[in-house]
Amino acid sequence: MRQLAIIGRTVLGLLAAIGRVSLFAWGALTHLIRPPFYPREIGIALLHIGWLSLPVVGLTAIFTGGALALQIYAGGARFNAEAVVPQIVAIGMVRELGPVLVGLMIAARVTSSIAAEIATMKVTEQIDALVTLSTHPMKYLTVPRVLAGTLTVPFLVGVGDIIGIFGGYAVATGTLGFNAAAYIQNTVDFLEFTDISSSLAKGAVFGFIATLMGCYFGMNSGRGAQGVGRATKGSVEAAAVLILAANFVLTGVFFSL
Amino acid sequence: MITLDNVHKSFGSNHVLRGVNLHVAKGTSMVIIGGSGTGKSVAIKTVLGLVIPDSGTITVDGTDVTKADRDAFLARFGMLFQGGALFDSLPVWQNVAFRLLRGSLAKPRDEAREIAIEKLRRVGLTPDVADRLPAELSGGMQKRVGLARAIAAEPEIIFFDEPTTGLDPIMAGVINDLIREIVTEMGATTMTITHDMTSVRTIADNVAMLHAGKIRWTGPVSDMDAAGDPYVDQFIHGRAEGPIEAVR
């Protein structure tokens, strides 16, 4: 009986959390289209989430692309299929690894930063101060970040895809003996429009999730340093899990029909 | 002007406000005293809508605060927070002019900056502070910037939450005098929360003591010493012995 009660409480807690996050997301979306707007805050968020994430995204992608080329070459050699390296690197990066790794890097870099910043603002009464200064925290803090995440992460995914493919190209042509022109030609010929559009669409969804989780956990943080720490940890965990779950769903939507 | 009528508020099993009744007349300075954790900040936050009371009514000029137009209502208020609550990412002048840079009170950027510098001067800070970040300022300077922000839009009603907490006695005296001067010259209605009896005697026209979630005593500051209430007497003289338990 006790075990049943624990399961019941857990399920109810989970459902309540889903409800709270859904309401928060709905609030963010409705505030997105209602004035006042804060263009300066949106600009700052675009810079921080998009532009300043480029180095970490680039480094992640290039090493992953290179490692992928080595793995495919080694694996392909078992059944004389070494030649498929350009195609598998391209499809692997664009369809899966590019969006997922960029999403996870954004969760690590941006979600944590947003959650810690907003949670600290809450703990130090800056959120209350915003309200007393006639400024809605959802409009001033959440909307610019969620908008910037949704707009810039597809761009980051696109850049990550290209750099990842380049990483594979550099390894394949530099150490595995592939012809440079043939590698590029194979890559271009193999990729389809759906591969690229699905990659960018995943980026938009992952950017929305990552920034929304940062804002949600920040706004709902507990008191003190411990509250800020918990909010930051919880936001990254939730963003990472939701990104992976959303990736599974989106992959099904794009490629299983 | 501000009336709290039988206001109750609980956080889980913690019943913080247990029927607060309080009236603050227009143009007067009300100081709320009371021990830590007695609900002083909660009481002030219910007026601003930062905390929603479980029951009871709060009116400002006869209008129920829950039914007032939110932006217009908040535009009448200024608040100095206990820790300053300055926005870390903005330079000092943008903190002070925050309300003047956006929303219904928005002014051109240059004009807003001029007003901010004037308000900073009013609280004893030089213009070179304007472009610094809050983290670069001392606690006393941050409090003064918070005060400048609270008065920047010349509100009718100003709330001060522990304005001298954490400051040395000289800086506390400076802040107390500033609050008194500003309130007098602006003719604002104010509510202040403090434990500091020097602040009470400098700032207050009227005093209310909050204890066990209710207003224990209220009256003019001049009557406070002769209130005849053992709780008030113990609190204002800072005695460990008395009806208020020292260990709570």
Side-chain angles (χ1 to χ4, degrees), chain A residues 6-185:
Chain A
I6 292 169
I7 293 168
R9 265 199 304 275
T10 308
V11 171
L12 287 175
L14 188 66
L15 290 174
I18 291 169
R20 282 194 298 272
V21 172
S22 302
L23 283 174
F24 188 81
W26 177 248
L29 289 171
T30 55
H31 280 289
L32 192 65
I33 53 170
R34 280 186 289 154
F37 304 112
Y38 297 104
R40 185 178 172 277
E41 299 308 313
I42 294 170
I44 291 170
L46 287 169
L47 180 73
H48 280 271
I49 297 169
W51 182 250
L52 296 180
S53 296
L54 273 173
V56 72
V57 164
L59 287 169
T60 306
I62 199 160
F63 290 128
T64 305
L68 192 59
L70 290 172
Q71 286 284 15
I72 294 163
Y73 187 81
R78 293 177 189 172
F79 43 94
N80 297 322
E82 298 96 324
V84 296
V85 168
Q87 292 89 337
I88 305 297
V89 166
I91 205 165
M93 281 307 302
V94 173
R95 281 190 178 192
E96 282 300 318
L97 288 174
V100 170
L101 287 176
V102 169
L104 293 178
M105 291 312 291
I106 292 297
R109 184 185 178 275
V110 174
T111 306
S112 58
S113 158
I114 291 174
E117 183 182 0
I118 295 180
T120 305
M121 288 182 75
K122 189 176 179 199
V123 168
T124 55
E125 293 187 302
Q126 291 178 53
I127 305 277
D128 285 347
L130 274 179
V131 176
T132 64
L133 293 165
S134 307
T135 303
H136 201 300
M138 188 67 107
K139 284 189 192 300
Y140 187 76
L141 297 173
T142 302
V143 166
R145 286 163 174 79
V146 171
L147 184 63
T150 310
L151 292 177
T152 59
V153 176
F155 162 75
L156 290 170
V157 167
V159 171
D161 290 347
I162 293 166
I163 294 175
I165 290 170
F166 174 76
Y169 164 86
V171 169
T173 57
T175 64
L176 304 177
F178 278 75
N179 176 276
Y183 191 101
I184 293 169
Q185 192 60 50

